[in-house]
Amino acid sequence: MIVTLKPAVADSELAAVKDRLNNLGCRLTEVRTQRGHYLIAGIHGEPDLRVIGALPGVLDVHRVSDAYKLVSRKWKAVPTTINLGDGVEITEGGLALIAGPCSIESREQMQAIITHLQQEGLRIMRGGAFKPRTSPYAFRGLRTEGLKLSHELARAAGIKLVSEVLSAEQIELMYDYVDIYQVGTRNSQNFELLLELGKVDKPVLLKRGMSSTLDELLQSAEYVFANGNEALILCERGIRTFEPAYRNTLDLNAIPALKEKSHLPVIVDPSHGVGVRRWVESLALAGIMAGADGVMYEVAPEPERALSDGQQTLCFPESSELIKKARQTFELRQRF
Ligand code: PEP
Ligand code: MN
């Protein structure tokens, strides 16, 4: 059960609501986020919700049978909009295009990408500075230096930056330079990291674990929300299957399913989802038709020379083509 409290709930009222729920045998978790104040009550049986709803200080009460509560659409009918400032947002029913390199490699590379994004009217750039690499000998990113230079260039161009955080210690290091923290597939169930991101007042883009079910992804999102941060974006990025013909299997089914289960925006990452440059565009468009609220993909000036994921990174003309077709596809979807 989710009990939403009024913004101005008095301490005495809150104590009375808690007493009432405790007397019903509820296990209580109090959640305060940027946007709201809630009590999550684990309960057996069928308490009369009207009685709780009528207590002073209570805004409303919902029964949510899912294991995840606060990220469930059963509770919140209004979709969540992630407002990044300066008129940039990621929202249900919109089309947020997020593009950039797999790894931030140099100032020249980032400036070239920013110029490309500006020409195409994109407002959000991706770029990894702390890279999770399978081999310890591979390029692992420019780290804070990379973030600093990307932030400086992106700010000057009015572009927002999303970058992956690998550990709780990096949250603070990254804070001044990113607009969105990305949690990658390998950390999708790193609960300690998720708890710490709950304490941050910047949005979190949470990727699906490569072998996570949708409910596991939503439970991970719940960790962040329940610890205070409700600015969340979900990302389908492909799962591991028995098929070796491509890097991952982009699970397009996940898009309508997640949107039905949750009020959070859902975006698609066709680059990691398929891992083959020439198929990225089709899957981006398929993701939009499946209902994605945005697409995040990899682009670089010279993909063949990229230090990571060059095989799935688009060059500028390919990216321009994708953007044009993505907008056309989005328009088509809106006409349905
Ligand atoms: C990335 O976006 O750079 C990345 C490493 O993605 P994933 O976690 O989906 O593999
Ligand atoms: Mn990559």
Side-chain angles (χ1 to χ4, degrees):
M1 174 167 51
I2 301 178
V3 179
T4 307
L5 298 157
K6 289 187 178 154
V9 61
D11 288 349
S12 57
E13 291 171 339
L14 178 59
V17 178
K18 285 182 180 173
D19 271 353
R20 191 66 171 247
L21 292 166
N22 281 326
N23 290 339
L24 287 168
C26 292
R27 230 174 336 95
L28 285 189
T29 308
E30 185 170 351
V31 174
R32 283 177 203 264
T33 71
Q34 317 90 331
R35 302 181 192 181
H37 187 180
Y38 319 92
L39 292 172
I40 311 303
I43 190 154
H44 302 291
E46 299 275 313
D48 188 341
L49 298 192
R50 292 168 305 176
V51 174
I52 298 156
L55 294 173
V58 172
L59 193 63
D60 60 30
V61 187
H62 291 271
R63 198 189 305 274
V64 179
S65 52
D66 303 315
Y68 46 88
K69 309 282 176 204
L70 290 159
V71 303
S72 173
R73 205 186 271 279
K74 289 197 182 118
W75 158 66
K76 185 168 174 272
V78 188
T80 297
T81 293
I82 308 299
N83 187 348
L84 299 170
D86 304 321
V88 185
E89 56 178 36
I90 302 175
T91 187
E92 165 146 278
L95 179 67
L97 295 174
I98 306 171
C102 179
S103 303
I104 299 165
E105 296 180 15
S106 68
R107 180 172 283 271
E108 296 67 40
Q109 170 222 30
M110 293 312 282
Q111 186 53 63
I113 292 169
I114 286 174
T115 304
H116 170 67
L117 299 193
Q118 280 185 307
Q119 280 164 358
E120 297 296 345
L122 264 56
R123 305 288 307 277
I124 314 175
M125 177 167 66
R126 57 150 290 141
F130 297 98
K131 294 302 301 177
R133 301 305 301 278
T134 304
S135 164
Y137 308 117
F139 175 64
R140 295 185 38 244
L142 292 185
R143 308 180 81 81
T144 318
E145 267 328 291
L147 285 179
K148 279 188 188 161
L149 73 88
S150 304
H151 173 260
E152 184 195 318
L153 298 174
R155 269 294 165 278
I159 284 178
K160 307 293 173 184
L161 184 64
V162 49
S163 196
E164 180 165 353
V165 57
L166 292 182
S167 69
E169 301 77 68
Q170 289 166 3
I171 295 175
E172 207 181 312
L173 283 179
M174 295 175 68
Y175 186 83
D176 288 338
Y177 310 116
V178 297
D179 298 286
I180 304 177
Y181 288 96
Q182 176 175 321
V183 176
T185 195
R186 295 159 187 82
N187 268 315
S188 194
Q189 286 189 302
N190 181 340
F191 302 120
E192 294 294 324
L193 175 61
L194 298 173
L195 288 179
E196 292 303 317
L197 286 166
K199 299 178 190 161
V200 175
D201 61 358
K202 290 197 177 188
V204 174
L205 189 162
L206 179 61
K207 287 193 162 195
R208 180 182 184 183
M210 61 183 91
S211 46
S212 289
T213 63
L214 300 186
D215 279 21
E216 285 167 341
L217 171 63
L218 291 165
Q219 296 258 41
S220 291
E222 186 82 10
Y223 260 91
V224 183
F225 198 140
N227 281 281
N229 187 357
E230 53 182 284
L232 281 152
I233 305 139
L234 303 174
C235 179
E236 164 58 37
R237 53 76 69 198
I239 51 172
R240 281 240 163 128
T241 67
F242 48 80
E243 181 50 67
Y246 22 80
R247 184 176 182 183
N248 289 295
T249 297
L250 185 65
D251 179 12
L252 290 171
N253 304 3
I255 297 165
L258 283 172
K259 290 180 63 77
E260 193 173 295
K261 285 169 183 284
S262 177
H263 54 81
L264 298 173
V266 177
I267 67 165
V268 66
D269 172 352
S271 304
H272 295 87
V274 68
V276 180
R277 188 185 307 157
R278 65 186 183 282
W279 299 331
V280 167
E281 179 189 292
S282 325
L283 287 157
L285 304 184
I288 295 168
M289 285 315 284
D293 303 311
V295 179
M296 181 165 79
Y297 66 95
E298 292 178 335
V299 61
E302 291 178 288
E304 42 298 312
R305 295 181 60 181
L307 296 177
S308 60
D309 283 352
Q311 82 291 343
Q312 67 191 31
T313 298
L314 305 188
C315 62
F316 293 150
E318 289 166 333
S319 167
S320 298
E321 195 63 18
L322 185 154
I323 294 165
K324 185 179 84 194
K325 290 184 187 162
R327 288 180 175 145
Q328 288 169 346
T329 306
F330 178 61
E331 259 176 47
L332 178 65
R333 186 181 90 194
Q334 283 179 307
R335 278 194 255 129
F336 288 158

